[in-house]
């Protein structure tokens, strides 16, 4: 069920409720409540809170047998449950030529499903098969995973043909007080866009920053925690209309040829260029 109420552009509110009936798991009811209020033509306040449920996958429940390294599922897993809220404000001074916004968010994940490495060998033993050299399974975390942080953005029309957009996120993601892997504390981006007169063409320069973050190195067992270095990516994209029906477009990704990893042990592309025609 869902209900929305809007009073022109001055205020609005909404509520949604969902109920899941399950055979294997306990029934679940989730919700979302949201609303906004415009204090004046330039300033709008907004907020939301809600909950969610994610049921285990088939592999997490029943596993698979990989001979020497079997992964045994856990049919007693509980679904993951989350609750969170956010509050923010948007400010638009100067007849829409500039916009500023900020959002504070805070959420908690209960019963997070995780992989249990080094489980008892007897758990993975199967009649008629060699004794495995290791055993893994799944479980629910006894402690909570928390994510909180701040998102800010800004847009400005620097002239009739040039505009800029910037965004930044600060995140604190922890599991039982330990930093979560692949969750950088700082992410930022900036776009500078130029548009030709008459909308004949455009070009956009994008810069993205990703701070240091941790990851797991499975080249040794048990896995050790490593740090992935911060990286900055520069992309350039543009388009030009040759005539009313044909447009030439292109982009260069990773313009500076940065070497970086988003997952430990998996390389990412270097500089790449693309071009084409659109009719």
């Amino acid at each position: 069920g869902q209900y929305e109420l809007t009073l022109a552009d001055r205020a609005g509110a909404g509520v949604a409720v969902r109920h899941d009936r399950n055979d294997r798991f306990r029934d679940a009811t989730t919700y979302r409540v949201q609303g906004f209020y415009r204090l004046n033509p330039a300033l709008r306040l907004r907020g939301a809170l809600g909950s969610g449920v994610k049921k285990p996958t088939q592999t997490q429940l029943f596993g698979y047998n990989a001979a020497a390294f079997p992964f045994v599922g856990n049919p007693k897993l509980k679904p993951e449950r989350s609750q969170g809220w956010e509050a923010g404000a948007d400010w638009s001074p100067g007849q829409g030529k500039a916009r500023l916004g900020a959002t504070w968010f805070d959420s908690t994940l209960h019963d997070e499903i995780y992989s249990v490495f080094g489980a008892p060998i007897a758990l993975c033993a199967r009649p008629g098969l060699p004794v495995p050299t290791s055993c893994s399974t799944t479980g629910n975390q006894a402690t909570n995973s928390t994510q909180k942080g701040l998102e800010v953005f800004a847009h400005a029309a620097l002239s009739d043909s040039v505009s800029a957009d910037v965004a930044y996120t600060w995140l604190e993601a922890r599991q039982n007080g330990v930093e979560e892997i692949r969750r950088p504390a700082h992410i930022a981006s900036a776009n500078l866009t130029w548009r030709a007169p008459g909308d004949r063409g455009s070009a956009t320069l994008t810069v993205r920053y990703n701070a240091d973050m941790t990851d797991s190195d499975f080249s040794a067992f048990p896995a050790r925690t490593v740090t992935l270095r911060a990286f900055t990516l520069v992309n350039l994209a543009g388009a030009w209309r040759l005539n009313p029906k044909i447009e030439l477009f292109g982009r260069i990704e990773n313009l500076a040829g940065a070497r970086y990893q988003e997952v430990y042990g998996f390389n990412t592309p270097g500089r790449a260029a693309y071009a084409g025609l659109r009719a």
Side-chain angles (χ1 to χ4, degrees), residues 74-249:
N74 182 356
K76 297 182 180 180
L77 284 176
K78 296 183 291 185
E80 297 178 337
R81 299 175 294 111
S82 64
Q83 292 177 318
W85 62 272
E86 65 178 50
D90 300 310
W91 185 46
S92 302
Q95 298 178 343
K97 290 188 177 181
R99 294 194 306 272
L100 299 173
T103 303
W104 176 268
F105 59 90
D106 193 316
S107 64
T108 302
L109 177 63
H110 310 275
D111 298 323
E112 181 179 6
I113 297 173
Y114 72 110
S115 296
V116 181
F117 299 106
I121 297 296
L123 185 65
C124 293
R126 294 293 181 267
L129 295 176
V131 177
T133 57
S134 68
C135 180
S136 301
T137 185
T138 54
N140 291 105
Q141 290 279 13
T143 56
N144 294 332
S145 172
T146 59
Q147 303 88 36
K148 63 181 179 181
L150 177 69
E151 294 179 341
V152 295
F153 76 89
H155 166 82
L158 304 180
S159 68
D160 292 338
S161 59
V162 180
S163 62
D165 294 271
V166 296
Y168 167 77
T169 299
W170 171 76
L171 172 67
E172 183 182 88
R174 298 187 179 278
Q175 171 68 51
N176 194 26
V178 179
E179 181 181 348
E180 297 261 27
I181 64 170
R182 301 177 196 159
R183 298 293 184 269
H186 307 281
I187 296 177
S189 65
N191 293 329
L192 187 66
T193 300
W194 169 80
R195 293 190 178 279
D199 206 24
R200 180 76 182 272
S202 65
T204 299
L205 178 68
T206 300
V207 179
R208 290 177 46 217
Y209 172 76
N210 195 102
D212 292 346
M213 56 185 178
T214 60
D215 203 353
S216 297
D217 174 15
F218 286 97
S219 63
F221 193 83
R224 63 188 181 98
T225 300
V226 296
T227 298
L228 301 179
R229 293 183 301 173
F231 59 87
T232 300
L233 298 180
V234 181
N235 300 330
L236 179 64
W240 188 260
R241 192 172 297 280
L242 301 177
N243 58 48
K245 294 184 178 180
I246 299 179
E247 183 182 57
L248 175 67
F249 65 90

Side-chain angles (χ1 to χ4, degrees), residues 256-279:
R259 295 176 61 87
Y260 66 101
Q261 288 186 342
E262 295 179 292
V263 178
Y264 184 79
F266 290 82
N267 282 329
T268 47
R271 186 183 299 107
Y274 305 82
L277 287 172
R278 183 181 292 113

